[in-house]
Amino acid sequence: MKAMDVDAVRAFLLASDLQSFTRAADVLGTTQSAVSLKLRRLEGQLGRRLLERTPRHVRLSVEGLAFLGVARELVSSHDRAAAAFETEQRRLAIGINQQLVGSEFPLLLRRMRDHDPNLLVEMRIAGTNELMRSQEQGELDAVLVLRPEDRGKRGKIVFAESFSWFAAADWEPRAGQPLPLATQGESCRIRIEAVRTLDRAGIEWREVFVGKGAAILGAAAVAGLAVAVLARRAAPPGTVDVSGLMSLPPIRSQDVMLYSNLSDRRTRDALRVLTLAFQ
């Protein structure tokens, strides 16, 4: 067998992780058709079908799943060899809004690590305003945040995040009692949006739990203390969307913005992997 094309194996890993040829092409700086061609050649060389394609999704075949682990080892070993004589360690300091971090976050971080094992990643999870200040002060290279109120600084919309009302699977409202809410407090834009929609709908509410971050609000929901306003991606296991059950009004989606000062191509590629995985 001829030596494997490492770029083709990398394309396979990205298409598998991101479940999209188009997203893999975005990371690699090429076209969807070029990625598809690389993968067809790799499959021909191996004599195995690695990915199942549908109009909307890409997923691993049985053979692809078996190949996945050794493919990661191959690309990782190649990258370590290529970086053997690098004298300056590359670093990426990134901030992510605390409302975007859910149970899938460890998998997203692993994808980023697997993409570039030699990259030193420093991460800060906080609110939008705090992260924007940190980037302006040079402490962070990039931030992924809900669109800030001050729209003077130019950023890139990477996706729209949807929010809804989540409660424990066995939670039941108490007759005649206001809707108990878990929020991030009065300064939180999502909280402002949520209570405004309740007021417009004539639904009584009471703030019974205040905390910072989706994980904390999710814990209050899982415990049955309150209904939490959460990004759908951040809703923890054990909670369900009760908007239909409770006839609660929809909450407007929020733009998620990327602000970046990065110039190094490989570091930008790692950041692109993370942002695409969020989508």
Side-chain angles (χ1 to χ4, degrees):
M1 180 182 290
K2 294 181 179 179
M4 272 187 215
D5 180 353
V6 175
D7 287 340
V9 179
R10 192 187 306 279
F12 159 72
L13 292 173
L14 286 169
S16 169
D17 287 344
L18 300 174
Q19 299 180 338
S20 167
F21 286 177
T22 301
R23 292 178 180 177
D26 286 343
V27 173
L28 294 171
T30 185
T31 64
Q32 182 270 341
S33 58
V35 169
S36 181
L37 179 61
K38 282 181 178 291
L39 290 174
R40 282 200 301 270
R41 288 175 175 171
L42 179 63
E43 289 176 327
Q45 184 180 12
L46 294 173
R48 298 288 189 274
R49 189 171 181 83
L50 302 176
L51 296 166
E52 302 291 348
R53 291 91 158 163
T54 68
R56 292 188 175 183
H57 299 289
V58 174
R59 61 185 179 85
L60 287 168
S61 67
V62 174
E63 291 87 355
L65 184 61
F67 182 62
L68 187 64
V70 291
R72 291 197 193 282
E73 291 176 9
L74 172 63
V75 171
S76 178
S77 296
H78 172 273
D79 289 346
R80 287 198 302 272
F85 298 106
E86 287 186 355
T87 57
E88 182 178 351
Q89 185 173 36
R90 289 172 300 106
R91 165 185 171 273
L92 170 60
I94 180 172
I96 298 178
N97 185 278
Q98 58 202 9
Q99 297 200 58
L100 302 176
V101 177
S103 59
E104 89 287 12
F105 194 56
L107 177 60
L108 300 185
L109 295 179
R110 180 179 181 117
R111 287 175 180 172
M112 195 175 190
R113 185 204 67 184
D114 289 343
H115 174 72
D116 193 343
N118 297 308
L119 179 66
L120 175 62
V121 177
E122 299 175 5
M123 191 161 293
R124 184 177 303 176
I125 309 299
T128 290
N129 292 336
E130 180 181 341
L131 294 176
M132 294 294 290
R133 285 194 301 270
S134 295
Q135 191 196 26
E136 290 168 1
Q137 294 167 5
E139 298 172 3
L140 295 173
D141 301 311
V143 294
L144 194 65
V145 296
L146 300 181
R147 184 192 287 274
E149 294 179 2
D150 178 8
R151 303 191 179 191
K153 187 176 180 182
R154 296 182 62 184
K156 176 184 176 182
I157 300 175
V158 288
F159 61 94
E161 184 62 84
S162 59
F163 288 78
S164 196
W165 314 86
F166 289 89
D170 59 353
W171 181 82
E172 293 183 1
R174 294 184 180 181
Q177 295 293 316
L179 182 72
L181 291 183
T183 80
Q184 292 200 127
E186 294 184 359
S187 63
C188 174
R189 187 178 341 134
I190 303 305
R191 188 260 193 198
I192 293 171
E193 178 71 21
V195 300
R196 184 179 295 157
T197 62
L198 292 176
D199 290 340
R200 288 173 179 167
I203 298 174
E204 290 188 67
W205 56 273
R206 181 175 62 204
E207 200 167 42
V208 300
F209 186 96
V210 176
K212 296 299 181 182
I216 299 300
L217 300 186
V222 171
L225 296 178
V227 174
V229 181
L230 296 170
R232 295 184 186 278
R233 76 172 63 252
T239 62
V240 295
D241 187 336
V242 295
S243 55
L245 175 66
M246 297 289 298
S247 298
L248 297 173
I251 300 171
R252 287 188 302 175
S253 297
Q254 301 288 318
D255 289 336
V256 176
M257 308 291 295
L258 175 65
Y259 298 90
S260 172
N261 301 326
L262 293 170
S263 57
D264 176 69
R265 181 188 62 80
R266 288 175 62 184
T267 311
R268 289 201 314 268
D269 287 347
L271 177 63
R272 193 176 296 118
V273 168
L274 182 66
T275 57
L276 287 171
F278 262 99
Q279 301 171 50

